[in-house]
């Protein structure tokens, strides 16, 4: 049997990941640490005075295309997966950073001028990092509006609890600081801290890794680039090394 991997991503973001795990022969369980809600909006979005759009997640794209038919403004995206969603939605001009909010800030500086007007950032209420603060000294005005909610999970599925307690899980995948933080809180609430010492934590970035440092793992690992492809490549290296 293939290694057993725990996916902590929200369901809305997991389709490509699950397909990739299946293609690589992994067994997998899911414990979404965030549940995505797209609340109804009373008034349509008015984005006529913005020079471009900022997307820090695929869910931001999903929310935006349900609220506006605008596809001509430049879309400045945190990474390739978000950029692909923009392209599939019909945006004319799509630019992708390397998967990190700091890279996105650099991309914005390169692609648009602060003097050309404000940028619209459809996002969740809580985000990883503050783009507005990062770019304020450069003169950029970023209007971040909440268009969806990422609600932290308050429980672990029974099959996941059983697998952790029986030490069946080989690796846990973490894609964001908030999912990692939520996982830690749930592990502590279920008193599972002693059941992860044989498990590898596979993290998208150092910021994600920092959120799981309170738990005792077999090892924690960080992808060399903050993309799903690099994370899966790292996963393959880790589980191969553990089984040889």
């Amino acid at each position: 049997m293939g290694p057993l991997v725990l996916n902590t991503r929200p369901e809305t973001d997991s389709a490509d990941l699950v397909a990739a795990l299946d293609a690589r022969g992994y067994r997998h369980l899911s414990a979404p640490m965030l549940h995505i809600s797209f609340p109804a909006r009373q008034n349509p979005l008015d984005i006529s005075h913005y020079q471009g759009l900022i997307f820090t997640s695929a869910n931001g794209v999903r929310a935006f295309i349900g609220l506006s038919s605008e596809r001509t403004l430049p879309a400045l995206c945190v990474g390739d997966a978000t950029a692909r969603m923009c392209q599939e939605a019909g945006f004319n001009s799509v630019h992708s950073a390397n998967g990190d909010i700091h890279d996105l800030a650099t991309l914005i500086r390169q692609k648009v001028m602060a003097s050309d007007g404000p940028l619209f950032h459809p996002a969740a209420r809580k985000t990883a990092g503050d783009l507005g603060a990062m770019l304020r000294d450069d003169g950029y005005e970023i209007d971040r509006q909440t268009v969806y909610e990422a609600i932290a999970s308050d429980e672990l599925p029974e099959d996941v609890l059983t697998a952790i307690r029986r030490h069946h899980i080989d690796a846990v995948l973490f894609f964001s600081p908030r999912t990692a933080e939520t996982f830690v809180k749930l592990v502590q609430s279920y008193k599972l801290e002693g059941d992860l010492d044989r498990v590898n934590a596979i993290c998208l970035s150092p910021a994600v890794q920092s959120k799981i440092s309170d738990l005792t793992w077999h090892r924690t690992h960080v992808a060399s680039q903050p993309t799903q492809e690099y994370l899966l490549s790292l996963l393959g290296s880790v589980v191969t090394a553990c089984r040889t």
Side-chain angles (χ1 to χ4, degrees):
M1 293 191 296
L4 181 59
V5 177
L6 178 60
N7 165 34
T8 62
R9 296 196 90 179
E11 289 184 6
T12 53
D13 296 320
S14 288
D16 288 347
L17 175 61
V18 167
L21 292 173
D22 286 338
R24 288 164 171 79
Y26 295 111
R27 296 175 297 135
H28 50 83
L29 296 172
S30 290
M33 292 293 99
L34 299 174
H35 301 283
I36 307 303
S37 173
F38 300 97
R41 191 181 179 97
Q42 298 299 318
N43 301 311
L45 287 174
D46 178 10
I47 57 172
S48 58
H49 62 293
Y50 297 107
Q51 64 154 320
L53 306 168
I54 297 172
F55 293 110
T56 49
S57 72
N59 286 312
V61 181
R62 292 185 182 100
F64 179 83
I65 62 179
L67 297 169
S68 173
S69 60
E70 168 59 51
R71 303 292 184 269
T72 61
L73 290 176
L76 303 154
C77 303
V78 69
D80 291 344
T82 304
R84 280 195 299 272
M85 180 156 288
C86 283
Q87 291 164 344
E88 292 169 0
F91 284 88
N92 296 339
S93 176
V94 180
H95 308 280
S96 178
N98 293 323
D100 179 85
I101 194 168
H102 299 282
D103 296 327
L104 178 57
T106 299
L107 177 73
I108 291 168
R109 295 185 189 102
Q110 292 172 343
K111 295 297 182 181
V112 296
M113 296 178 61
S115 58
D116 287 342
L119 296 157
F120 181 66
H121 179 195
R125 191 173 304 280
K126 293 183 178 180
T127 60
D130 188 342
L131 269 175
M134 290 180 191
L135 294 168
R136 191 171 297 127
D137 289 344
D138 299 305
Y140 289 91
E141 180 186 349
I142 296 175
D143 180 10
R144 191 181 87 188
Q145 292 189 25
T146 299
V147 294
Y148 72 95
E149 296 282 356
I151 303 164
S153 177
D154 59 2
E155 62 181 5
L156 289 169
E158 282 298 325
D159 59 343
V160 172
L161 282 171
T162 299
I164 292 175
R165 287 168 174 154
R166 294 180 178 177
H167 303 150
H168 289 172
I169 294 176
D170 295 284
V172 183
L173 307 183
F174 295 107
F175 283 79
S176 76
R178 194 167 173 221
T179 56
E181 187 176 44
T182 303
F183 182 84
V184 170
K185 290 178 180 177
L186 288 176
V187 164
Q188 292 170 341
S189 72
Y190 283 100
K191 303 187 184 307
L192 300 171
E193 294 94 329
D195 295 310
L196 298 173
D197 57 354
R198 302 180 193 175
V199 181
N200 287 280
I202 313 294
C203 305
L204 191 70
S205 70
V208 175
Q209 184 188 40
S210 69
K211 297 297 184 180
I212 60 168
S213 60
D214 287 345
L215 298 180
T216 300
W217 301 88
H218 176 61
R219 285 195 179 90
T220 64
H221 311 265
V222 179
S224 58
Q225 296 290 331
T227 69
Q228 179 171 293
E229 289 76 13
Y230 278 89
L231 185 143
L232 287 172
S233 177
L234 173 61
L235 172 65
S237 300
V238 168
V239 296
T240 298
C242 289
R243 288 170 180 262
T244 56

